[in-house]
Amino acid sequence: MTFQFDVYKPLTEESAISLLKQLHFFAEDEHVTCHEIGDGNLNLVFQMSAQGSAKKWIVKQALPYAKVVGESWPLTLQRAKIESEALLQFAKFTPHLVPEVLYSNETLALTIMEDLSHLSIARTGLIKGESYPNLGKDIGTFLAHILFKTSDLGLSPTEKKEKAQQFSNPELCKITEDLVFTDPFFDHDTNDFEPELSEKVEQLWKEDELKLEVAKLKRLFLTNGDALIHGDLHTGSIFASEHETKIIDPEFAFYGPFGFDLGHFIANLLFNALRRPQAQTELFGFIHDTWETFSSVFTSLWKEDKNNPFLQVNGYLDYTLQTIWQDALGFAGCEIIRRTIGLAHVADLDTIEESELRIHTKEIALDIGKSLILNRVEIKTVQDLHELYIENNEFLGNNARTV
């Protein structure tokens, strides 16, 4: 079959093979295996390989709707272009931490990239107890380079404004605005939680102090275009092994607050710590490594810059790092609450088999999320964060050890 490049149509396994043969990723006579492996809500993902060959590719195509809802929730296909361009931008600064993009097509809303099947999805691996000793350091390195070099700290004002326009992503930002910052804090029909959590959730909806702080955090998300951010950096959007880390799926990328990605990554490590309290030392070690590496690399980049005279002003660097940390904790709190009672959950909690333990763990998650939002200014260090976790988790017992 001949593939049409001038009109959008969702791929099938057969048409994906035809596409890659026409693009010469495979020879016409090669026997190609293709499987649709996507488990997300917004895209088709095909894994492709040729028999007797080392050639392996991933084809990712955006769908014009959210699979979790169907065609009644339409979505722009522009996000595929955003994703491929974000990966190319990230690769300029940290090429070893993102997959290689080999081809993209705006009309077809697709990207062809290297296959990462030799790695594990970090969330799945962490639930199984796999060890990723470089995870925190790699994420800290990624965030420091991307946030500094795509912000006003690393770009001229004109360059930064042009980049912000290039990565304008209003439709997917609206998903975050609603599902992370609004719906979980009100009685909204997108929310999804067990009946056993109803009393606790209804009490949360009545807490005006909490809502005030969430409103402040939402305002940061809406107005602080500090740097190019991934926009959805959780352990399900990271591939990892003992020696390697790759960050994927930046279709939510846009110019947003410095602390947003860091907060989401911290929140998802906390989910795994709630599921596996016996592994908390390792998991808080990841948080410690992430922040220490981020601070160190960000500081080095700051001190190397000789163009911005304000970067030499005493106290400005410390203020910036302190603000990023505080904002990250607030964003982490919102992420924890929304993944517990909002539309999209995490396997770390939802696959806890014993019902009473699962409900109680989710109750603890809500308490930690609230504490992070309300007390983000008082939580100065990773040690303080670990102590908050311990205070809220009665299941820790003899495992309650600090970093």
Side-chain angles (χ1 to χ4, degrees):
M1 63 179 290
T2 301
F3 192 88
Q4 284 187 284
F5 286 83
D6 58 348
V7 60
Y8 174 86
K9 187 176 181 180
L11 290 172
T12 63
E13 293 178 355
E14 182 183 6
S15 62
I17 293 172
S18 176
L19 166 67
L20 265 71
K21 286 188 174 183
Q22 285 182 236
L23 291 171
H24 306 294
F25 282 88
F26 299 108
E28 195 62 41
D29 60 351
E30 281 188 291
H31 177 71
V32 177
T33 301
C34 178
H35 300 290
E36 207 284 304
I37 59 171
D39 60 357
N41 286 320
L42 308 179
N43 308 287
L44 296 170
V45 181
F46 298 89
Q47 184 180 51
M48 308 181 69
S49 61
Q51 190 174 37
S53 168
K55 292 185 286 188
K56 288 186 176 182
W57 317 114
I58 292 293
V59 179
K60 181 174 180 181
Q61 184 184 39
L63 287 169
Y65 55 84
K67 285 194 284 186
V68 70
V69 177
E71 295 185 19
S72 63
W73 188 347
L75 290 170
T76 178
L77 296 175
Q78 178 71 11
R79 68 186 191 276
K81 181 173 186 255
I82 292 281
E83 177 173 7
S84 63
E85 290 182 350
L87 286 172
L88 292 170
Q89 187 70 48
F90 297 159
K92 290 182 179 180
F93 309 124
T94 56
H96 63 297
L97 296 175
V98 293
E100 182 183 2
V101 172
L102 302 156
Y103 174 84
S104 63
N105 187 299
E106 185 176 356
T107 300
L108 302 177
L110 63 79
T111 302
I112 301 174
M113 65 190 85
E114 68 171 306
D115 183 280
L116 300 175
S117 58
H118 63 290
L119 305 175
S120 299
I121 296 174
R123 187 188 309 284
T124 304
L126 289 171
I127 290 173
K128 292 178 179 178
E130 293 179 4
S131 179
Y132 306 129
N134 297 321
L135 180 62
K137 293 176 184 177
D138 284 343
I139 298 301
T141 298
F142 171 82
L143 290 176
H145 280 281
I146 303 307
L147 295 180
F148 189 94
K149 292 176 179 177
T150 66
S151 72
D152 288 302
L153 302 172
L155 295 174
S156 72
T158 299
E159 290 174 318
K160 193 275 188 82
K161 291 177 177 64
E162 290 173 350
K163 289 291 184 185
Q165 186 176 22
Q166 176 186 354
F167 288 99
S168 176
N169 200 358
E171 193 164 26
L172 267 68
C173 284
K174 181 66 164 59
I175 293 175
T176 304
E177 292 155 17
D178 291 343
L179 298 186
V180 176
F181 292 107
T182 304
D183 296 356
F185 301 94
F186 297 88
D187 185 2
H188 197 280
D189 58 9
T190 61
N191 292 326
D192 178 22
F193 52 87
E194 295 88 342
E196 294 90 336
L197 290 173
S198 294
E199 183 177 352
K200 195 171 188 70
V201 173
E202 288 168 7
Q203 180 59 42
L204 181 149
W205 290 340
K206 296 175 183 177
E207 296 186 26
D208 286 343
E209 182 184 5
L210 177 66
K211 289 182 178 179
L212 173 60
E213 295 307 313
V214 173
K216 294 176 184 179
L217 290 162
K218 182 174 181 178
R219 181 174 175 81
L220 282 179
F221 182 81
L222 290 169
T223 61
N224 276 32
D226 292 324
L228 179 62
I229 65 172
H230 180 285
D232 196 27
L233 186 61
H234 53 75
T235 51
S237 58
I238 299 168
F239 275 95
S241 70
E242 187 177 352
H243 305 291
E244 195 174 0
T245 306
K246 296 282 189 178
I247 294 151
I248 63 169
D249 292 350
E251 59 194 325
F252 281 77
F254 83 113
Y255 263 70
F258 275 139
F260 189 76
D261 286 343
L262 176 63
H264 272 225
F265 182 61
I266 289 173
N268 282 269
L269 290 177
L270 289 174
F271 281 131
N272 198 254
L274 285 169
R275 181 191 179 95
R276 299 192 303 137
Q278 73 278 8
Q280 65 175 286
T281 299
E282 179 183 33
L283 291 159
F284 277 89
F286 291 155
I287 297 174
H288 176 270
D289 289 347
T290 303
W291 178 246
E292 289 302 310
T293 302
F294 173 81
S295 300
S296 175
V297 175
F298 194 87
T299 296
S300 295
L301 294 169
W302 184 290
K303 291 182 176 179
E304 289 168 6
D305 188 281
K306 304 302 180 186
N307 298 318
N308 186 341
F310 280 104
L311 300 192
Q312 312 307 316
V313 174
N314 287 335
Y316 187 26
L317 172 60
D318 290 341
Y319 164 79
T320 301
L321 289 172
Q322 180 185 41
T323 301
I324 292 171
W325 173 252
Q326 290 177 1
D327 292 348
L329 294 178
F331 292 135
C334 293
E335 169 75 349
I336 288 172
I337 290 174
R338 81 98 167 192
R339 292 287 192 180
T340 305
I341 63 172
L343 179 64
H345 291 193
V346 290
D348 308 70
L349 302 189
D350 274 9
T351 59
I352 297 174
E353 293 183 3
E354 204 277 302
S355 176
E356 184 177 354
L357 177 59
R358 184 178 65 256
I359 295 299
H360 197 72
T361 304
K362 289 189 175 187
E363 290 175 338
I364 295 168
L366 292 174
D367 288 339
I368 290 176
K370 286 167 51 179
S371 294
L372 289 173
I373 294 167
L374 294 172
N375 303 308
R376 61 191 185 276
V377 175
E378 287 74 35
I379 304 169
K380 303 291 188 183
T381 65
V382 176
Q383 177 75 32
D384 293 341
L385 177 61
H386 197 175
E387 289 174 0
L388 182 150
Y389 164 84
I390 292 169
E391 290 169 4
N392 282 277
N393 197 334
E394 67 187 64
F395 286 112
L396 289 175
N398 293 330
N399 292 315
R401 296 165 53 196
T402 54
V403 176

